[in-house]
Amino acid sequence: GQNLGAAPARNTGIRAGTAPYAAFVDWDDEWFPTRLEKVLRVFEGAGDHVGMVYTGAERIGVEGTVIKDVPRERDDLSHILLTTNVIGGTSVAMVRRHALEVVGPFDETLRYTEELDLWLRISERFAVRCLPEALVRIAQQTLRGRLSGDLVAVSHGREMFCRKHRQALVEHRVLHLFLRESGWVRQRDARDPSGARRFYLKSIAARPFAPLTYALPDFFEIAGNLDVRNWIRTTQEATGGVPLDTETRGGLGDTDVS
């Protein structure tokens, strides 16, 4: 049959299930034998306000090296998830069915960021607990074969996520950070300096006076021969001297991320 992607397949499983919790495992990942028992114990010891529990993972590298990723509790999880997926992929998470009924399942319009999107929506409405043990084995050597290895999908997924959660990104004053990281993905992974510069410019326009913002012009002037400082000054003059801090003022230059 047609491969519709991970989100529709996971949602099909969610709809078919009747248990009070939903857990996921990618085909090339492996749960440790005690994982379900330990995660259920956390749920049973918590109240209904806990919508998700996640664990750490052992990440197996190409050379067979093992890196243990052990999470910690975060009081500001919904803020952090706007820019960084500190939870990880679906194989480390178990979700209360009621939470899925409240916030909705995976967003099937998103590719690559559908996991981050769901974790964010759950964390905004429910408490999230972590179990600080590595209870999943993830084969990192297959990463390039996964969707996250599709650089076009990665970039498009980040743009779609930004559009969907733009208001929260602005309210939390992290829109510039998300755009900056999108540029870094284009530069580092896609080897697309032109696309990277586009996101870096939007990051500067979103909050030109944020820390590290003026490290970006240095990159531009070296790699792209682009005088970004002059670009900022010219654009501000065109707006009558209004600072281009769109995270607080709704300024020019960042009404779209595409």
Side-chain angles (χ1 to χ4, degrees):
Q2 183 181 6
N3 182 2
L4 300 178
R10 290 165 182 158
N11 286 342
T12 297
I14 290 171
R15 288 191 294 268
T18 58
Y21 307 103
F24 316 93
V25 60
D26 287 348
W27 69 271
D28 50 354
D29 295 342
E30 178 186 354
W31 289 348
F32 288 11
T34 59
R35 178 187 181 271
L36 282 177
E37 176 187 353
K38 290 184 175 181
V39 172
L40 285 172
R41 195 179 302 152
V42 174
F43 269 117
E44 291 168 357
D48 293 342
H49 67 290
V50 174
M52 180 169 69
V53 175
Y54 66 100
T55 74
E58 286 188 357
R59 304 184 185 278
I60 313 301
V62 176
E63 303 291 332
T65 56
V66 178
I67 299 176
K68 283 193 176 183
D69 179 14
V70 179
R72 60 181 177 85
E73 293 282 358
R74 298 175 182 268
D75 296 332
D76 55 348
L77 182 61
S78 59
H79 174 84
I80 295 172
L81 286 172
L82 284 167
T83 55
T84 308
N85 186 357
V86 294
I87 292 176
T90 50
S91 295
V92 302
M94 183 183 292
V95 180
R96 192 182 298 272
R97 181 171 295 276
H98 173 66
L100 292 170
E101 293 169 350
V102 171
V103 307
F106 290 99
D107 186 339
E108 298 182 12
T109 68
L110 297 178
R111 302 287 305 270
Y112 174 72
T113 53
E114 73 272 11
E115 298 163 346
L116 177 59
D117 168 72
L118 181 58
W119 306 159
L120 175 60
R121 287 186 283 121
I122 291 174
S123 70
E124 290 174 335
R125 300 287 298 274
F126 294 88
V128 176
R129 295 286 179 264
C130 80
L131 205 168
E133 293 184 48
L135 297 175
V136 179
R137 183 171 290 113
I138 296 176
Q140 291 291 95
Q141 65 264 28
T142 64
L143 184 61
R144 303 303 293 182
R146 295 183 176 184
L147 181 59
S148 52
D150 184 343
L151 299 176
V152 174
V154 169
S155 183
H156 181 68
R158 289 186 63 84
E159 292 186 34
M160 294 293 289
F161 179 91
C162 189
R163 289 192 180 100
K164 181 174 181 177
H165 296 286
R166 181 181 180 81
Q167 182 177 348
L169 287 164
V170 171
E171 290 175 353
H172 285 261
R173 299 174 65 84
V174 294
L175 174 62
H176 67 293
L177 297 178
F178 188 90
L179 292 169
R180 185 188 301 167
E181 177 62 20
S182 295
W184 180 235
V185 168
R186 284 291 186 105
Q187 177 185 344
R188 176 195 60 206
D189 297 331
R191 300 293 192 269
D192 178 11
S194 176
R197 284 195 294 271
R198 178 165 60 90
F199 281 106
Y200 288 152
L201 284 170
K202 289 179 178 293
S203 176
I204 292 172
R207 198 172 183 194
F209 303 110
L212 299 181
T213 292
Y214 282 90
L216 298 179
D218 293 334
F219 163 76
F220 287 140
E221 290 168 0
I222 293 172
N225 194 28
L226 176 63
D227 186 351
V228 177
R229 291 181 180 86
N230 183 62
W231 173 84
I232 293 174
R233 182 170 56 253
T234 302
T235 308
Q236 289 181 339
E237 289 173 355
T239 60
V242 177
L244 286 181
D245 192 341
T246 60
E247 290 184 355
T248 57
R249 301 173 184 266
L252 177 69
D254 213 18
T255 57
D256 197 342
V257 297
S258 61

